[in-house]
Amino acid sequence: MAPFLRSVEETFRRHGIEAVLDPDGVARPVRLLAARPDEIADFRSLQVQSETGMFEILASDFEGFLKGTILGIGSERRKVQHVRTRDPRRYKVLLNTVEQPA
């Protein structure tokens, strides 16, 4: 295994928050890293704050899942609305999520 991959996995293990990927199906336990706060879009004098939550997940944990997947984070359920890979080594994936009503 590549030393850098071990380092990334250790970061998730030590600093990640516990979550469940696809809680109504596979129910795979995973760890997530919060990526950044919500974005605020400016339209001249109007500011709109996005209700999205950005999380990074190990690519190996998200393999086989797509947009629309549900994440359980504590008592909160979030739906993946967009998936991006910004990591040049492709070890982690950025998930753009929105709250999923109960």
Side-chain angles (χ1 to χ4, degrees):
M1 180 187 305
F4 189 74
L5 175 56
R6 282 196 310 264
S7 176
V8 170
E9 289 175 340
E10 185 65 14
T11 299
F12 275 86
R13 188 184 72 74
R14 287 184 180 214
H15 303 289
I17 57 174
E18 294 179 3
V20 177
L21 189 60
D22 191 19
D24 300 325
V26 176
R28 179 186 298 172
V30 295
R31 299 199 62 87
L32 305 172
L33 296 174
R36 64 180 178 205
D38 293 338
E39 296 178 359
I40 297 176
D42 286 317
F43 300 100
R44 296 188 185 174
S45 64
L46 174 68
Q47 288 189 338
V48 179
Q49 184 169 1
S50 170
E51 294 183 8
T52 65
M54 305 292 281
F55 299 95
E56 289 183 318
I57 187 171
L58 287 171
S60 59
D61 286 345
F62 197 68
E63 191 173 313
F65 293 93
L66 303 169
K67 178 173 110 172
T69 299
I70 302 297
L71 283 170
I73 306 170
S75 62
E76 185 178 13
R77 293 170 60 90
R78 301 196 66 85
K79 182 177 180 179
V80 176
Q81 66 177 3
H82 184 69
V83 179
R84 279 194 330 212
T85 304
R86 296 188 307 185
D87 176 18
R89 292 181 175 94
R90 301 198 181 282
Y91 293 148
K92 54 189 179 171
V93 175
L94 183 65
L95 306 177
N96 182 337
T97 68
V98 292
E99 190 171 347
Q100 181 72 21

